[in-house]
């Protein structure tokens, strides 16, 4: 079955630094990848949609300059949290979709970001 | 933005009992999916029901969909301790970039 690998699974960084999270589709080409953020005991909030070779589409209220998304290939999307602050501490999850189908969404295992 | 509300937000039952979780959504959908998330982990896809379906079964799971009421329910029969997790409904909006949007979730605890 389709597998999405997300790395790292957890990271601790100092306030003001940047952190990059990778999301890879291992056995399929993902035309579209989605990035979600989840605060403790809350649901997943969609942050942005990225399509290979084009700019990401951000949800309302998500800062484009703070959360940089790059989808340079059909198997890799990255989310960079720039100038991280403690309030950016959260669980970040990516999802990849195979082709244009409405059913093939596969999720990564998530990244726990703690900014100190 | 969130698409749906889930009810209850938290549910605690004894092992062996059935657990029912409800989900309501706001706009027209193509299909509705249910996911499970163990604490601090990724999501596991459980079941998908299309907008033209009313009920679907998968093992101990039973999902219903009422498009007139914009609601869905997930029933887990004969619950087990391993079913303890958070359960989310998610829907793909008909309009837009086919984004998968999640409900608020239900935290289910199965007591042994």
């Amino acid at each position: 079955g389709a597998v999405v690998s997300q790395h790292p699974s957890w990271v601790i960084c100092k306030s003001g630094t940047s952190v990059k999270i990778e999301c890879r589709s291992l056995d399929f080409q993902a035309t579209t990848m989605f990035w979600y953020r989840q605060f403790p005991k809350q649901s997943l909030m969609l942050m942005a949609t990225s399509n290979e070779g084009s700019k990401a589409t951000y949800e309302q209220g998500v800062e484009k300059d703070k959360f940089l998304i790059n989808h340079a290939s059909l198997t890799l999307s990255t989310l960079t949290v720039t100038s991280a602050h403690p309030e950016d501490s959260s669980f970040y999850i990516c999802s990849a979709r195979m082709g244009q189908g409405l059913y093939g969404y596969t999720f990564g295992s998530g990244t726990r970001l703690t900014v100190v | 933005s969130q698409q749906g509300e889930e009810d209850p937000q938290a549910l605690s039952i004894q092992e062996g009992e059935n657990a029912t979780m409800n989900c309501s959504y706001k706009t027209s959908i193509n299909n509705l999916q249910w996911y499970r998330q163990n604490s601090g982990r990724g999501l596991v896809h459980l079941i998908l029901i299309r907008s033209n379906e009313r009920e679907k079964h998968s093992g101990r799971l039973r999902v219903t969909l009422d498009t007139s009421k914009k609601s869905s329910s997930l029933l887990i029969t004969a619950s087990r301790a391993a079913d303890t997790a958070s359960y989310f409904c998610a829907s793909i909006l008909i309009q837009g970039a086919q984004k998968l949007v999640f409900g608020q979730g239900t935290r289910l605890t199965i007591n042994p």
Side-chain angles (χ1 to χ4, degrees):
Chain A
V3 177
V4 171
S5 173
Q6 188 171 339
H7 178 82
S9 56
W10 61 271
V11 58
I12 301 173
C13 71
K14 292 185 177 180
S15 187
T17 61
S18 295
V19 174
K20 179 184 285 188
I21 302 170
E22 292 187 350
C23 181
R24 293 180 183 271
S25 57
L26 297 185
D27 49 2
F28 67 100
Q29 293 184 328
T31 56
T32 305
M33 288 188 175
F34 303 89
W35 287 94
Y36 294 84
R37 179 169 56 184
Q38 184 181 33
F39 292 108
K41 296 186 178 181
Q42 294 189 23
S43 186
L44 283 77
M45 295 293 295
L46 181 64
M47 299 175 67
T49 302
S50 74
N51 294 295
E52 185 265 338
S54 62
K55 290 184 178 180
T57 302
Y58 290 80
E59 294 298 302
Q60 191 173 4
V62 177
E63 299 176 58
K64 301 178 182 181
D65 295 332
K66 182 165 189 64
F67 299 100
L68 302 180
I69 291 172
N70 184 281
H71 193 161
S73 76
L74 284 171
T75 59
L76 174 64
S77 176
T78 60
L79 167 67
T80 301
V81 183
T82 62
S83 187
H85 290 111
E87 56 265 31
D88 298 324
S89 298
S90 187
F91 192 59
Y92 293 87
I93 306 176
C94 70
S95 172
R97 186 176 75 196
M98 187 187 323
Q100 295 298 316
L102 300 179
Y103 314 115
Y105 292 81
T106 304
F107 285 80
S109 55
T111 297
R112 173 76 58 195
L113 171 63
T114 303
V115 185
V116 297
Chain B
S1 61
Q2 293 303 118
Q3 162 73 324
E5 306 272 335
E6 289 191 58
D7 165 46
Q9 290 188 354
L11 178 63
S12 180
I13 61 174
Q14 293 300 120
E15 193 168 21
E17 295 180 340
N18 296 339
T20 300
M21 291 160 273
N22 302 297
C23 165
S24 61
Y25 56 92
K26 300 174 183 176
T27 60
S28 297
I29 60 172
N30 183 285
N31 65 65
L32 190 136
Q33 305 176 32
W34 284 88
Y35 289 83
R36 182 184 71 210
Q37 183 184 36
N38 289 352
S39 181
R41 307 291 293 275
L43 275 74
V44 175
H45 180 265
L46 295 176
I47 194 167
L48 178 151
I49 186 166
R50 295 180 175 82
S51 59
N52 61 354
E53 297 177 313
R54 293 294 169 260
E55 187 172 312
K56 200 163 185 179
H57 296 255
S58 177
R60 293 184 297 113
L61 306 180
R62 171 177 170 256
V63 169
T64 62
L65 179 65
D66 187 334
T67 53
S68 66
K69 296 180 179 179
K70 291 186 167 58
S71 67
S72 175
S73 68
L74 171 67
L75 168 67
I76 303 175
T77 60
S79 63
R80 305 167 182 170
D83 294 329
T84 295
S86 289
Y87 291 81
F88 297 93
C89 66
S91 56
I92 300 174
L93 307 182
I94 287 180
Q95 296 179 347
Q98 299 176 348
K99 300 176 290 188
L100 193 61
V101 182
F102 285 83
Q104 298 294 330
T106 294
R107 294 190 303 279
L108 176 64
T109 303
I110 308 299
N111 302 302

